[in-house]
Amino acid sequence: MTAKTEEAAPGYEQARDELIEVVRRLEAGGTTLEESLALWERGEELAKVCRHWLEGARARLDAALAMPEEDGADGE
């Protein structure tokens, strides 16, 4: 993602909630093919945003978990 895209991207919770709504609408049916394709594309974008947030959170957790091992390597 570019800096401009990241600024415009929704937060994790907002993206997740919108993605849930997109899936609900697709599962309910009753949309035209064009509307369904637009919803699918939006869902893909939202899933990418969610993955980005989750990957960032995983990296932060991994870094936090690795710190005590590095600092406490002198034995207890």
Side-chain angles (χ1 to χ4, degrees):
M1 288 186 172
T2 64
K4 187 175 183 180
T5 304
E6 287 177 4
E7 290 175 15
Y12 173 77
E13 290 81 4
Q14 182 182 356
R16 180 202 58 212
D17 291 347
E18 188 178 344
L19 180 56
I20 290 168
E21 180 61 20
V22 165
V23 171
R24 186 195 64 73
R25 289 181 61 195
L26 285 169
E27 287 178 341
T31 57
T32 66
L33 177 59
E34 191 62 35
E35 290 169 332
S36 294
L37 287 172
L39 284 169
W40 182 271
E41 290 169 347
R42 181 62 180 156
E44 290 290 331
E45 292 171 11
L46 292 165
K48 187 182 296 185
V49 169
C50 289
R51 273 192 307 272
H52 174 77
W53 279 103
L54 291 172
E55 288 167 0
R58 170 56 66 192
R60 289 176 63 190
L61 284 172
D62 289 345
L65 291 172
M67 291 178 104
E69 292 175 12
E70 293 170 2
D71 293 340
D74 59 8
E76 292 179 29

